[in-house]
Amino acid sequence: MRILVVEDDKMVSEALTNVLGDQNYAVEVAKDGEAGWELVEAFAYDLILLDVILPKLDGISLCQRLRSQGYNMPVLLLTGKDSSHDKATGLNAGADDYLVKPFDPEELVARVRALLRRGNSISLPILEWGSLKLDPTTHEATYDVHPLHLTPKEYAMLELFLRNSRRVFSCGGILEHIWSYEETPGEEAVRTHIKGLRQKLKAAGAPTDLIETVYGIGYRLKPLDALGVPNSPLETNEQPTKAQTTAAIAGVWNRFKDRIGEQVEVLAQTAAALSEGKITPELHAQAEREAHTLAGSLGTFGFSEGSQVARKIERLLQATNLGRKDAVRLGKLVKSLRTEINRPLQETAKEPAIEKDERPLLLIVAPDSKAAKPLVTEAANWEIRAEIATNLPTAREKIEREHPNAVLLELDLEQVNSGSLSLLAELSQRTPPVPVLVLTEQNGLERRAGSTLQERLEVARLGGRAFLQKPVSPSQVIEAVTQVLQRADAGAARIVVVDDDAQILATLRNLLEPWGMKVRTLEDPRRFWETLEATMPDLLILDIKMPHINGIELCQVVRNDARWSGLPILFLTAYTDANTVNQVFAAGADDFVSKPIVGPELVTRIVNRLERIKLLRSLAETDPLTRVCNRYKSTTDLNRFLSLAKRYNQPLSLAIVDLDRFKQVNDRYGHDVGDSVLRQIGQILLRSFRSEDVVARWGGEEFIVGMYGMTKSDGVQRLRELLEIVRQQKFAAHGGIEFQVTMSGGIAEYPKDGTDLQSLYRSADAALYQAKLAGRDRIMGNE
């Protein structure tokens, strides 16, 4: 967890850093109140340690500013004054606790832990991997009963592995997760800490390879089945098990094994035709294609010998002049291939194939299954399949087995520490998170009069995506579910896979979709460009050899288009010779994975690349001054939401908000003060709107807000609340001068005021102009 210390005494700040760092907290220090405020605006902190007497902005004033701007993290005041009046002043300013200097380190740590627990009422579960246990609450790690005495970085590294136990982390990925931006060392530091962690685990009795090296990729926890121990709660609760993955692959095999038989039959026909001297160029070419496909796919399903035989057949067929001697050899290879594919799969894969239902899955967690059945019926009308769990153990089992796209949780909010709230917190912390909608009884809220807002805040803090209060009709509930699913789809990584082998396409879907990726598959490369335009993928996977257009040609086409020149491209192919690899990278590929597919390797390569893309995009798509989206990023997002609005017949509101007479602020107080105002306005905007809303700066003092699913009238109300917050905000200039600003805004709604982004912007801009003419400090929408 990250803690901000605002303290001007260097000796005290270093002592605090050392004490808290020993407890595995990430600590950052600000030397004055203004610097502390700027850090809070820029970064998220779990707790603030705040000295009272500070230069530039004292601790009491900073605390008041934090609370007035809606920051709710715990604040612990450090003060040299111990009178009741001074303590009361601090608490009235919004502090959660105080500690009198000089402080006792043990008491300081205890108070910090208490405040962090209070900020998160749901205790963190103990992380387990076989005999290895880590308690995030007490920061203690053990193997069997032996404590592990870890350095802060070793502890953080072990927690990273335990929370992502099926992930392979590269050195770069570990650096990004554990070290701050300023202190990032080289990759050798990671290897040094891995070595130290392994030595301490070994000393406690753990296997020497509990943290194993995946050569060429990175590090991970050794799978439990390889360690000879049963699945731990962590493996059961946080990820699909290896058996489930194997079963999924087996399901694909069972669906396509008839097609495999047809491919082998083509090879047999070719061998017969060759022996009789009647082979045609068409049959020869078809046989070579089928052999190539089999070489790439069979090993994925456990038939590694079959892949090797198919590759020998492919190489044989690549010769131009084939004779009877080749026919005899081909016949023997085809016979071996038949024997290989007819052998049974592994025992864990012997599960019946189930045709995949492509509709999104909603899990309804409700104690009364009869009352929940109308929701199942209504969901079917919206092309959503729904299942019911009447208790939490059943719900957890279904979540791990079936990976629902969303969860509807019926919740009694009077039981704040109930298991239901624990489930809500767990689902929001998963990778990827599972969106949860909360449905509450109205009478439960009535018994606690005036608590509705607090209940909603509790649900939102724990990760709830929507709050529904009975009585509410099934259609209203499922409509809310649909909107949440649409927003989740918009944020998920999108991958397009182009391969003429249907088995490979189905396998990739099974491997990647449990990670929250949206996979679009394409067998016919002639439809590639329209699929690319419609999907707007984050990553492209291509096969090399395909009919009509090969993968290298597709890669060149993508790289020649300015819009797609930066799209990551990964090749997946059975060809591994140096010449082919050189062609692939010369065409502009970013990575290369050979068939047959090794699931963990492929997933790790894709996940790591997507993480790097996310980081680079964040730098490229964020306005550096205000930290909201820039014009390029927001235009892309708004156009995507417009497409959703058209498809699902939903409203979308576009607003332009503009600071009034902002030039006077720059002229009177200087551009550095003006920049500070814009920075704070950007943060106010981010806190005032939903996480899925588009908030952007389009230049100067002009900001854009896009609100999907919201009508103009609702948008006007939200913007008026924003204006009220801005009116009350005080800005600081040099010399202790304080001043205030106002904003004006115009809003337009799709499709009433425009059907594309340009027409909506013109309509909102015209409304903004009317607001300025009417005296500023107001919101208007063209009617």
PDB file of all heavy atoms in Angstrom, residues 3 103 105 133 138 172 274 297 345 372 518 522 584 629 723 742 768:
ATOM      1  N   ILE A   3       1.750   5.149   0.988  1.00  0.00           N
ATOM      2  CA  ILE A   3       1.529   6.149   2.034  1.00  0.00           C
ATOM      3  C   ILE A   3       2.285   7.420   1.658  1.00  0.00           C
ATOM      4  O   ILE A   3       3.450   7.357   1.241  1.00  0.00           O
ATOM      5  CB  ILE A   3       1.994   5.629   3.411  1.00  0.00           C
ATOM      6  CG1 ILE A   3       1.129   4.441   3.843  1.00  0.00           C
ATOM      7  CG2 ILE A   3       1.938   6.735   4.461  1.00  0.00           C
ATOM      8  CD1 ILE A   3       1.551   3.816   5.149  1.00  0.00           C
ATOM      9  N   PHE A 103       6.910  10.439  18.665  1.00  0.00           N
ATOM     10  CA  PHE A 103       6.017   9.286  18.601  1.00  0.00           C
ATOM     11  C   PHE A 103       6.796   7.994  18.833  1.00  0.00           C
ATOM     12  O   PHE A 103       8.005   7.912  18.611  1.00  0.00           O
ATOM     13  CB  PHE A 103       5.316   9.228  17.253  1.00  0.00           C
ATOM     14  CG  PHE A 103       6.247   9.211  16.075  1.00  0.00           C
ATOM     15  CD1 PHE A 103       6.808   8.024  15.631  1.00  0.00           C
ATOM     16  CD2 PHE A 103       6.580  10.380  15.411  1.00  0.00           C
ATOM     17  CE1 PHE A 103       7.667   7.996  14.556  1.00  0.00           C
ATOM     18  CE2 PHE A 103       7.459  10.361  14.331  1.00  0.00           C
ATOM     19  CZ  PHE A 103       8.002   9.170  13.894  1.00  0.00           C
ATOM     20  N   PRO A 105       7.459   4.327  17.538  1.00  0.00           N
ATOM     21  CA  PRO A 105       7.292   3.628  16.252  1.00  0.00           C
ATOM     22  C   PRO A 105       6.250   2.519  16.303  1.00  0.00           C
ATOM     23  O   PRO A 105       5.484   2.333  15.353  1.00  0.00           O
ATOM     24  CB  PRO A 105       8.697   3.069  15.975  1.00  0.00           C
ATOM     25  CG  PRO A 105       9.622   3.978  16.697  1.00  0.00           C
ATOM     26  CD  PRO A 105       8.882   4.385  17.933  1.00  0.00           C
ATOM     27  N   LYS A 133       2.347 -19.563   2.685  1.00  0.00           N
ATOM     28  CA  LYS A 133       1.248 -18.678   3.070  1.00  0.00           C
ATOM     29  C   LYS A 133       1.763 -17.266   3.262  1.00  0.00           C
ATOM     30  O   LYS A 133       2.880 -17.061   3.752  1.00  0.00           O
ATOM     31  CB  LYS A 133       0.590 -19.163   4.370  1.00  0.00           C
ATOM     32  CG  LYS A 133      -0.097 -20.517   4.254  1.00  0.00           C
ATOM     33  CD  LYS A 133      -0.790 -20.891   5.553  1.00  0.00           C
ATOM     34  CE  LYS A 133      -1.472 -22.252   5.423  1.00  0.00           C
ATOM     35  NZ  LYS A 133      -2.180 -22.631   6.676  1.00  0.00           N
ATOM     36  N   THR A 138      -1.047  -8.744   8.116  1.00  0.00           N
ATOM     37  CA  THR A 138       0.054  -8.662   9.082  1.00  0.00           C
ATOM     38  C   THR A 138       1.424  -8.601   8.411  1.00  0.00           C
ATOM     39  O   THR A 138       2.440  -8.472   9.094  1.00  0.00           O
ATOM     40  CB  THR A 138       0.014  -9.880  10.020  1.00  0.00           C
ATOM     41  OG1 THR A 138       0.187 -11.080   9.234  1.00  0.00           O
ATOM     42  CG2 THR A 138      -1.308  -9.954  10.755  1.00  0.00           C
ATOM     43  N   GLY A 172      11.202  -7.166 -16.721  1.00  0.00           N
ATOM     44  CA  GLY A 172      10.600  -5.841 -16.896  1.00  0.00           C
ATOM     45  C   GLY A 172       9.253  -5.728 -16.226  1.00  0.00           C
ATOM     46  O   GLY A 172       8.924  -4.696 -15.630  1.00  0.00           O
ATOM     47  N   LEU A 274      -0.547 -40.833 -55.959  1.00  0.00           N
ATOM     48  CA  LEU A 274       0.866 -40.766 -56.295  1.00  0.00           C
ATOM     49  C   LEU A 274       1.404 -42.141 -56.694  1.00  0.00           C
ATOM     50  O   LEU A 274       2.183 -42.269 -57.651  1.00  0.00           O
ATOM     51  CB  LEU A 274       1.644 -40.211 -55.095  1.00  0.00           C
ATOM     52  CG  LEU A 274       3.145 -39.971 -55.301  1.00  0.00           C
ATOM     53  CD1 LEU A 274       3.388 -38.972 -56.434  1.00  0.00           C
ATOM     54  CD2 LEU A 274       3.776 -39.459 -54.007  1.00  0.00           C
ATOM     55  N   SER A 297      -1.352 -27.916 -35.551  1.00  0.00           N
ATOM     56  CA  SER A 297      -2.435 -28.045 -34.583  1.00  0.00           C
ATOM     57  C   SER A 297      -2.372 -29.278 -33.699  1.00  0.00           C
ATOM     58  O   SER A 297      -2.764 -29.232 -32.541  1.00  0.00           O
ATOM     59  CB  SER A 297      -3.784 -28.028 -35.313  1.00  0.00           C
ATOM     60  OG  SER A 297      -3.885 -29.126 -36.201  1.00  0.00           O
ATOM     61  N   LEU A 345      -6.964 -39.430 -25.734  1.00  0.00           N
ATOM     62  CA  LEU A 345      -6.371 -38.259 -25.086  1.00  0.00           C
ATOM     63  C   LEU A 345      -6.011 -38.600 -23.652  1.00  0.00           C
ATOM     64  O   LEU A 345      -6.359 -39.658 -23.130  1.00  0.00           O
ATOM     65  CB  LEU A 345      -7.360 -37.087 -25.103  1.00  0.00           C
ATOM     66  CG  LEU A 345      -7.586 -36.407 -26.444  1.00  0.00           C
ATOM     67  CD1 LEU A 345      -8.719 -35.415 -26.310  1.00  0.00           C
ATOM     68  CD2 LEU A 345      -6.340 -35.702 -26.917  1.00  0.00           C
ATOM     69  N   ALA A 372     -35.960 -15.325  -8.405  1.00  0.00           N
ATOM     70  CA  ALA A 372     -34.956 -14.908  -9.390  1.00  0.00           C
ATOM     71  C   ALA A 372     -35.240 -15.432 -10.788  1.00  0.00           C
ATOM     72  O   ALA A 372     -34.639 -14.954 -11.759  1.00  0.00           O
ATOM     73  CB  ALA A 372     -33.571 -15.365  -8.928  1.00  0.00           C
ATOM     74  N   LYS A 518     -11.234 -10.077 -25.474  1.00  0.00           N
ATOM     75  CA  LYS A 518     -12.278 -10.279 -26.469  1.00  0.00           C
ATOM     76  C   LYS A 518     -11.614 -10.743 -27.767  1.00  0.00           C
ATOM     77  O   LYS A 518     -10.870  -9.988 -28.384  1.00  0.00           O
ATOM     78  CB  LYS A 518     -13.069  -8.989 -26.701  1.00  0.00           C
ATOM     79  CG  LYS A 518     -13.714  -8.446 -25.438  1.00  0.00           C
ATOM     80  CD  LYS A 518     -14.713  -9.422 -24.854  1.00  0.00           C
ATOM     81  CE  LYS A 518     -15.292  -8.912 -23.551  1.00  0.00           C
ATOM     82  NZ  LYS A 518     -16.192  -9.895 -22.937  1.00  0.00           N
ATOM     83  N   LEU A 522     -11.000 -15.226 -37.487  1.00  0.00           N
ATOM     84  CA  LEU A 522     -11.292 -15.075 -38.906  1.00  0.00           C
ATOM     85  C   LEU A 522     -10.566 -16.178 -39.679  1.00  0.00           C
ATOM     86  O   LEU A 522      -9.348 -16.297 -39.598  1.00  0.00           O
ATOM     87  CB  LEU A 522     -10.837 -13.699 -39.390  1.00  0.00           C
ATOM     88  CG  LEU A 522     -11.073 -13.361 -40.860  1.00  0.00           C
ATOM     89  CD1 LEU A 522     -12.563 -13.311 -41.167  1.00  0.00           C
ATOM     90  CD2 LEU A 522     -10.410 -12.037 -41.215  1.00  0.00           C
ATOM     91  N   VAL A 584       9.237 -12.706 -41.571  1.00  0.00           N
ATOM     92  CA  VAL A 584       8.199 -12.258 -40.638  1.00  0.00           C
ATOM     93  C   VAL A 584       8.585 -10.940 -39.979  1.00  0.00           C
ATOM     94  O   VAL A 584       7.810  -9.971 -39.957  1.00  0.00           O
ATOM     95  CB  VAL A 584       7.945 -13.357 -39.578  1.00  0.00           C
ATOM     96  CG1 VAL A 584       7.200 -12.772 -38.378  1.00  0.00           C
ATOM     97  CG2 VAL A 584       7.149 -14.502 -40.180  1.00  0.00           C
ATOM     98  N   CYS A 629      -7.791  12.567 -20.394  1.00  0.00           N
ATOM     99  CA  CYS A 629      -7.494  12.137 -21.759  1.00  0.00           C
ATOM    100  C   CYS A 629      -7.148  13.326 -22.647  1.00  0.00           C
ATOM    101  O   CYS A 629      -7.648  14.440 -22.445  1.00  0.00           O
ATOM    102  CB  CYS A 629      -8.698  11.407 -22.356  1.00  0.00           C
ATOM    103  SG  CYS A 629      -9.084   9.845 -21.565  1.00  0.00           S
ATOM    104  N   LEU A 723     -20.414  22.511 -11.492  1.00  0.00           N
ATOM    105  CA  LEU A 723     -20.228  23.957 -11.370  1.00  0.00           C
ATOM    106  C   LEU A 723     -20.262  24.409  -9.914  1.00  0.00           C
ATOM    107  O   LEU A 723     -19.527  25.309  -9.508  1.00  0.00           O
ATOM    108  CB  LEU A 723     -21.296  24.695 -12.183  1.00  0.00           C
ATOM    109  CG  LEU A 723     -20.861  25.175 -13.579  1.00  0.00           C
ATOM    110  CD1 LEU A 723     -20.394  24.003 -14.428  1.00  0.00           C
ATOM    111  CD2 LEU A 723     -21.994  25.896 -14.281  1.00  0.00           C
ATOM    112  N   THR A 742     -15.104  30.394 -12.218  1.00  0.00           N
ATOM    113  CA  THR A 742     -16.375  29.762 -12.590  1.00  0.00           C
ATOM    114  C   THR A 742     -16.215  29.094 -13.954  1.00  0.00           C
ATOM    115  O   THR A 742     -15.246  29.336 -14.679  1.00  0.00           O
ATOM    116  CB  THR A 742     -17.523  30.784 -12.653  1.00  0.00           C
ATOM    117  OG1 THR A 742     -17.208  31.786 -13.632  1.00  0.00           O
ATOM    118  CG2 THR A 742     -17.751  31.438 -11.303  1.00  0.00           C
ATOM    119  N   LEU A 768     -22.853  26.213 -25.484  1.00  0.00           N
ATOM    120  CA  LEU A 768     -21.861  26.890 -24.641  1.00  0.00           C
ATOM    121  C   LEU A 768     -21.819  28.381 -24.950  1.00  0.00           C
ATOM    122  O   LEU A 768     -21.731  29.223 -24.035  1.00  0.00           O
ATOM    123  CB  LEU A 768     -20.477  26.262 -24.874  1.00  0.00           C
ATOM    124  CG  LEU A 768     -19.288  26.964 -24.217  1.00  0.00           C
ATOM    125  CD1 LEU A 768     -19.409  26.933 -22.697  1.00  0.00           C
ATOM    126  CD2 LEU A 768     -17.971  26.303 -24.662  1.00  0.00           C
TER     127      LEU A 768
END
